[in-house]
Amino acid sequence: MHTSCQNNSPIVSRVAKCLILAVFVAVASVQSLYGASTGYMVRGEVVDSAGVAEVYATLRIYNTSDSVKPVVLATTDENGRISQSLPSAGGYRLSVASVGKRPVERTFAVDASHSDVDLGRIVLEENVTELGQVEVVAQRPLVVREIDRLGYDVKADPEAETSTLREILRKVPLVSVDEEGNIKVKGSSDFKIYKNGRPNNSFTNNAKDIFAAIPASSIKKIEVITEPGAREDAEGVGAILNIVTDSDTALNGVVGTANLYADNNSFIPNPSLWLSTQVDKVTMSVNGGYNRTPKGNDSKSWSNQYTDYYETGNRYEAETYSTYPQNSGWMGLEASWEPDSLNLFTVEANGWIWSPLDQRITSSVRMLGAAAADGSRPVLYSYNSLQRPLDNGNLSFDGSANYQHSTRRKGETITLSYRISNNSSKNESETQYYDMFNCDFEYTGRYFDSKQDFMEQTVQADWSRPYGEKHKLDIGAKAVFRDNHSISTQTYEGADMGTHDDFTHRTTIAAAYADYRLTLGKWNIRAGLRYEYSYLSARFKAQTENRSNFSSTLNDLVPNAAVSWNINDANSVKLSYSRNIRRPSIWFLDPARSETPTSVSFGNPDLGSVAYNNVSFNYSLIKNKFNLDFNIGGTLVDNSLQNVSWIDERERVVSTYDNVGKMRSLNMSVYFQWSIDSKTRWMLNLWGGYTYLRQPVALDASGAQVFGSRARWAVNPWTRISRDLPWKLELSVSGYWWSGGLSNVYSYQDPGTPGYSISLVRKFLKEDRLTVRLNVNRPFGPNEMHTNYHTYNPQYTTDSETINRSGRYVGVSLNFRFGSLNAQVKKTAASISNDDLQSGSRGGGGGK
């Protein structure tokens, strides 16, 4: 029988049919290889001394020749039963553990004549041994939910030994990673990435590449902090993805992971390296990588834009061709020193660098007059332009030093921290105009040069103390010193005009917080409050009527509260409220005026902080083979930072920013992970939301305005099904789609092109030290990815389309682990995190 994906049905239908066909063929072929007659099973029942079933007791099955790495990690079901398939014939050792019980081991063997072994009833006795203070350590489930976060135990996952951090992230509830490495938390890209409780700019800026380089074996757990509270100081973000490295230190040695990736779009391998070592009581790790996007299809895009002006009836048309090859690299360093069991010193440094490679933006522009009776339009003016960067780049660095002292009281710690963060960017470009016809501007070229520097220093003190077994109190204080400096110059060839701005914006913040937690049986209660005092000042080197120095003082109270109920071992519900603030970055504050023949843009140094109020309800189901997390919530904002735009007398779009918006949003996320059988897994992450925006809309430069509003639904599904094959192969098929959504009160995005990919993974060498992944993206098409935006303003409407012709590609990645070491850099229990800045960029003459 012959099947084909080449037909004349719509693109979405064709992609859906091809994806279903690929999944069907993959699963069917695997089922033919893995019939039921060749399976090996072990069964049994686990009870306590009273004969009561031990629900979700931890099971580890080892080869009899291996006492370190389990071949199977599972739990008993809701009735305490064991029903677990085995990879092959041979001898095995089963280890059963449960909280408060003595571990039990059983040995057994399976072969062709005894493929199904029943171990009968296994009794776990109470652990009554008491030597002074006894601490019983038991294995935890893979997924654990706390009142403010969800944690994935990476060390309990056998696949972590041979996987990268990016591969393990695909298993974490509320986190989705598509085949290109793009990460979303709770269906949104509005999240921050921490490392050991500290914000990490390198991770946040380049997670797609860095997480493909870090070995999962160096990670202890991954936390999704769903409601950042007063202690985390995570204002302005919807969630935090916290990567916690292993804190155990035992052996000396060196361990490392080398990675290499290439695809047919570039053919230039992108390398990365991770190393860790320990000398006496000092442990250190370093990582780094390099990425280059060459001149190829993956760095080209085409776009078309059409704007109709209501008052005159004129039409603006533009066709643009862009190439954007670029270099980027990152590095990280961690070190810890533990002189004794009560004191710990840590340092950390991270950096990221970016620069373009011979980028080009070529445009063809024309303004047409009002349509005549026959539909024809006269050409009012036209020109072509070429824009290229001269000296562009971005360099960011952040470092921290922490000291933690643990008292004799269990769980009580005092932490002192210092953090410094710097970001420097340069945007220098020139634009040449040619083939000019009847243009109303005199210049034939434009030169733009902007230098921006951001420096932040933070000192912080934290105290954490439990009171008995039910109460815990965290208090702390910090001071933040921020210095934003921007110098912008703009000149025009052939015209006596230009601008020069030297702008400094400083912010000083003093903050204190208290976070209280109470545990009452199955109930958990959390409440926190943060107070922040902010002093903001703006200074202009050359003051004018529109650029005068100013300062302001802000006082913000940031409360949060949550209550959760663990209905039973598998089910829990939670209700939470939080308030956070977001301050504008220099991108929005810089008043430097950037002008082109068709646009004018500038920042607003009078912007203030934005307050977000959030309410959410969560239901979580965690079972042996099935995890479900459902969340529904809403956000209310009355002074959101929004774009404000109008048309000037030359029909140019003038845009700036102001705290004038109202936002109401409702969002829902559903995540589930289902182990269909011992070799087949299915994951789904579905996010949906409704957003309503309302703000004053400027009619012209005189200040006249009306109120405008816009609302729209958005949906973002991601799914993946994977199957283990013979010969250490894993086949997976994934699909994703973005329905579009609101950009601001003026604009919205149409649905994007559906994406899907097929990947095959194979492990080689002793201890699976070499992993090879082959990934095919959109093998049946389409190759073109379309992005469409629509803008509606009281004075004009704009439709634009961008086409990227790199949807279909084949990529190969190699991951090699070497060395041996059982030591990772330690971390302090508390640390600095500043995430209240709302960042972004605006047009300024090219570059990134």
Side-chain angles (χ1 to χ4, degrees):
M1 181 179 66
H2 176 71
T3 60
S4 175
C5 292
Q6 306 301 322
N7 54 58
N8 297 320
S9 59
I11 290 177
V12 174
S13 176
R14 290 170 55 193
V15 173
K17 290 179 180 178
C18 292
L19 180 58
I20 294 172
L21 175 62
V23 174
F24 176 82
V25 172
V27 174
S29 63
V30 171
Q31 293 291 355
S32 66
L33 291 172
Y34 269 63
S37 61
T38 61
Y40 299 97
M41 296 288 296
V42 60
R43 306 179 191 277
E45 180 185 12
V46 180
V47 299
D48 62 14
S49 56
V52 179
E54 281 289 338
V55 179
Y56 304 131
T58 301
L59 309 174
R60 274 179 162 76
I61 302 177
Y62 302 83
N63 286 319
T64 53
S65 59
D66 188 346
S67 61
V68 177
K69 181 181 177 182
V71 296
V72 173
L73 173 66
T75 63
T76 57
D77 62 17
E78 58 269 19
N79 297 312
R81 296 191 180 94
I82 302 172
S83 180
Q84 184 61 51
S85 61
L86 301 168
S88 62
Y92 293 95
R93 177 172 54 87
L94 168 67
S95 174
V96 184
S98 185
V99 177
K101 305 295 192 304
R102 294 177 182 175
V104 172
E105 293 188 354
R106 294 285 188 273
T107 58
F108 63 95
V110 293
D111 52 33
S113 59
H114 299 86
S115 61
D116 196 324
V117 173
D118 191 338
L119 299 178
R121 173 170 287 194
I122 300 174
V123 180
L124 299 183
E125 301 289 345
E126 296 291 333
N127 193 339
V128 297
T129 303
E130 190 169 318
L131 297 174
Q133 180 180 351
V134 177
E135 182 178 357
V136 180
V137 180
Q139 300 296 333
R140 297 176 297 178
L142 285 174
V143 179
V144 177
R145 175 173 283 282
E146 300 179 29
I147 192 169
D148 63 335
R149 68 192 64 198
L150 181 149
Y152 186 86
D153 191 350
V154 180
K155 302 303 290 185
D157 188 337
E159 295 184 7
E161 293 295 327
T162 56
S163 299
T164 65
L165 175 56
R166 190 169 76 180
E167 292 168 338
I168 293 297
L169 273 174
R170 293 192 174 99
K171 303 181 178 184
V172 179
L174 302 181
V175 179
S176 66
V177 185
D178 64 27
E179 293 302 329
E180 296 176 356
N182 301 304
I183 303 168
K184 290 187 176 183
V185 178
K186 297 167 61 177
S188 172
S189 56
D190 180 24
F191 68 95
K192 293 289 183 178
I193 300 178
Y194 286 7
K195 184 179 180 182
N196 295 331
R198 290 182 288 273
N200 190 297
N201 289 339
S202 297
F203 279 12
T204 300
N205 293 334
N206 231 326
K208 174 180 176 180
D209 298 312
I210 296 178
F211 284 6
I214 297 178
S217 58
S218 69
I219 307 301
K220 180 178 181 180
K221 64 179 177 179
I222 299 170
E223 294 181 335
V224 182
I225 304 176
T226 52
E227 281 86 28
R231 183 177 63 178
E232 281 74 32
D233 187 25
E235 297 94 343
V237 295
I240 295 173
L241 186 62
N242 185 31
I243 310 300
V244 182
T245 57
D246 197 340
S247 59
D248 297 331
T249 55
L251 301 176
N252 294 327
V254 177
V255 68
T257 299
N259 300 270
L260 206 62
Y261 172 81
D263 59 48
N264 64 289
N265 278 327
S266 62
F267 295 107
I268 295 181
N270 297 318
S272 59
L273 181 67
W274 177 88
L275 293 170
S276 182
T277 187
Q278 178 179 334
V279 179
D280 197 15
K281 295 183 177 182
V282 176
T283 308
M284 179 182 298
S285 72
V286 294
N287 67 82
Y290 171 75
N291 181 63
R292 172 171 174 150
T293 302
K295 295 180 180 179
N297 290 331
D298 61 336
S299 62
K300 296 179 181 179
S301 66
W302 293 258
S303 64
N304 299 292
Q305 178 181 332
Y306 305 93
T307 301
D308 291 307
Y309 301 93
Y310 298 138
E311 183 174 346
T312 63
N314 295 341
R315 163 172 274 205
Y316 168 84
E317 297 182 352
E319 297 179 2
T320 303
Y321 168 74
S322 305
T323 63
Y324 43 92
Q326 55 189 320
N327 278 314
S328 65
W330 66 94
M331 60 76 64
L333 179 146
E334 287 183 291
S336 64
W337 174 47
E338 189 177 23
D340 52 55
S341 61
L342 300 180
N343 297 281
L344 175 65
F345 297 85
T346 69
V347 294
E348 183 176 339
N350 304 280
W352 177 74
I353 188 171
W354 170 89
S355 63
L357 291 171
D358 193 28
Q359 296 182 348
R360 293 285 191 275
I361 302 178
T362 304
S363 299
S364 178
V365 174
R366 61 178 182 169
M367 181 70 78
L368 306 178
D374 61 357
S376 63
R377 291 176 178 269
V379 178
L380 302 183
Y381 70 83
S382 65
Y383 64 88
N384 295 326
S385 67
L386 172 63
Q387 177 183 304
R388 63 186 183 91
L390 299 177
D391 185 14
N392 288 13
N394 186 289
L395 174 64
S396 65
F397 167 83
D398 61 88
S400 64
N402 307 274
Y403 165 66
Q404 176 182 292
H405 174 70
S406 300
T407 69
R408 300 295 179 180
R409 178 186 296 270
K410 184 180 179 180
E412 182 179 23
T413 59
I414 300 171
T415 307
L416 303 176
S417 306
Y418 169 76
R419 179 173 180 258
I420 184 171
S421 180
N422 173 259
N423 184 82
S424 299
S425 64
K426 181 175 177 57
N427 184 358
E428 183 183 10
S429 66
E430 66 175 9
T431 304
Q432 297 296 322
Y433 302 98
Y434 55 96
D435 295 337
M436 301 170 64
F437 167 73
N438 201 30
C439 294
D440 61 352
F441 54 91
E442 301 176 357
Y443 50 87
T444 58
R446 171 176 172 264
Y447 171 81
F448 181 84
D449 185 15
S450 173
K451 299 177 182 178
Q452 296 182 333
D453 287 292
F454 170 81
M455 174 70 76
E456 178 184 81
Q457 298 186 74
T458 306
V459 291
Q460 181 169 332
D462 299 274
W463 177 45
S464 178
R465 177 174 178 175
Y467 291 86
E469 297 180 355
K470 299 180 179 180
H471 309 271
K472 185 179 182 181
L473 179 65
D474 291 272
I475 61 174
K478 78 172 183 179
V480 184
F481 307 93
R482 292 179 180 149
D483 190 333
N484 289 280
H485 186 209
S486 173
I487 301 177
S488 299
T489 300
Q490 194 167 209
T491 60
Y492 297 85
E493 184 179 342
D496 185 17
M497 58 182 296
T499 61
H500 179 77
D501 288 277
D502 191 328
F503 171 62
T504 300
H505 186 273
R506 292 189 175 94
T507 302
T508 302
I509 302 172
Y513 77 88
D515 185 274
Y516 170 73
R517 304 190 184 202
L518 173 64
T519 302
L520 295 174
K522 295 184 178 181
W523 291 87
N524 292 278
I525 301 172
R526 181 192 187 190
L529 180 66
R530 172 177 291 274
Y531 165 73
E532 292 206 356
Y533 164 84
S534 307
Y535 175 76
L536 299 87
S537 66
R539 297 290 182 267
F540 299 88
K541 190 171 184 179
Q543 297 190 57
T544 64
E545 181 180 352
N546 297 324
R547 292 174 172 82
S548 57
N549 297 340
F550 75 92
S551 63
S552 63
T553 300
L554 301 174
N555 292 275
D556 293 294
L557 283 175
V558 185
N560 70 87
V563 57
S564 68
W565 176 36
N566 297 323
I567 303 172
N568 51 42
D569 291 339
N571 296 270
S572 66
V573 294
K574 180 183 66 174
L575 181 66
S576 63
Y577 163 78
S578 65
R579 185 174 188 266
N580 42 54
I581 60 174
R582 186 174 302 177
R583 299 182 180 92
S585 69
I586 195 170
W587 293 103
F588 296 99
L589 298 166
D590 187 355
R593 189 180 181 92
S594 175
E595 295 190 19
T596 73
T598 58
S599 67
V600 179
S601 65
F602 52 91
N604 180 2
D606 296 323
L607 295 174
S609 58
V610 181
Y612 290 73
N613 294 279
N614 313 286
V615 178
S616 69
F617 171 81
N618 177 268
Y619 168 72
S620 178
L621 172 64
I622 300 177
K623 302 197 74 173
N624 185 23
K625 296 183 178 181
F626 187 86
N627 287 349
L628 171 67
D629 194 279
F630 171 78
N631 194 86
I632 185 169
T635 299
L636 183 150
V637 183
D638 284 330
N639 65 332
S640 64
L641 195 161
Q642 295 294 336
N643 175 267
V644 178
S645 63
W646 61 91
I647 298 295
D648 67 5
E649 66 282 355
R650 294 168 52 185
E651 292 192 322
R652 297 182 303 177
V653 178
V654 183
S655 62
T656 185
Y657 306 95
D658 206 350
N659 294 103
V660 294
K662 292 182 181 293
M663 183 186 76
R664 306 291 186 265
S665 69
L666 176 69
N667 61 80
M668 180 192 71
S669 64
V670 178
Y671 177 97
F672 77 78
Q673 179 176 346
W674 179 26
S675 296
I676 301 174
D677 56 39
S678 62
K679 299 177 179 64
T680 308
R681 297 162 296 279
W682 181 24
M683 302 183 204
L684 172 68
N685 190 328
L686 173 63
W687 177 89
Y690 175 81
T691 302
Y692 170 81
L693 300 175
R694 176 179 170 85
Q695 73 176 65
V697 176
L699 296 178
D700 51 44
S702 67
Q705 60 185 25
V706 297
F707 274 90
S709 62
R710 188 170 300 280
R712 194 169 179 86
W713 285 92
V715 179
N716 183 204
W718 179 92
T719 186
R720 177 176 182 261
I721 186 168
S722 61
R723 175 79 181 185
D724 293 336
L725 304 179
W727 310 297
K728 296 183 179 181
L729 289 170
E730 180 192 17
L731 175 69
S732 66
V733 180
S734 65
Y736 45 91
W737 182 61
W738 168 241
S739 69
L742 286 181
S743 301
N744 50 53
V745 76
Y746 305 104
S747 306
Y748 65 90
Q749 180 185 348
D750 278 347
T753 307
Y756 64 98
S757 62
I758 302 174
S759 66
L760 191 63
V761 178
R762 174 68 159 88
K763 300 182 185 300
F764 298 89
L765 305 182
K766 184 180 180 181
E767 299 178 348
D768 295 335
R769 288 182 175 266
L770 176 63
T771 302
V772 180
R773 179 186 297 273
L774 175 67
N775 184 72
V776 184
N777 198 65
R778 292 191 177 97
F780 309 109
N783 186 45
E784 291 186 350
M785 296 177 289
H786 294 250
T787 304
N788 295 278
Y789 285 94
H790 305 280
T791 300
Y792 295 94
N793 186 282
Q795 298 169 286
Y796 67 93
T797 179
T798 297
D799 296 299
S800 64
E801 179 184 39
T802 300
I803 304 172
N804 191 302
R805 297 173 180 170
S806 60
R808 184 189 295 122
Y809 63 85
V810 178
V812 178
S813 61
L814 305 177
N815 177 278
F816 177 66
R817 298 181 299 112
F818 56 91
S820 61
L821 174 68
N822 188 25
Q824 306 297 334
V825 178
K826 288 208 169 187
K827 63 182 186 303
T828 55
S831 56
I832 294 171
S833 58
N834 301 325
D835 300 302
D836 52 309
L837 285 178
Q838 179 168 339
S839 60
S841 62
R842 56 185 175 87
K848 187 180 179 184

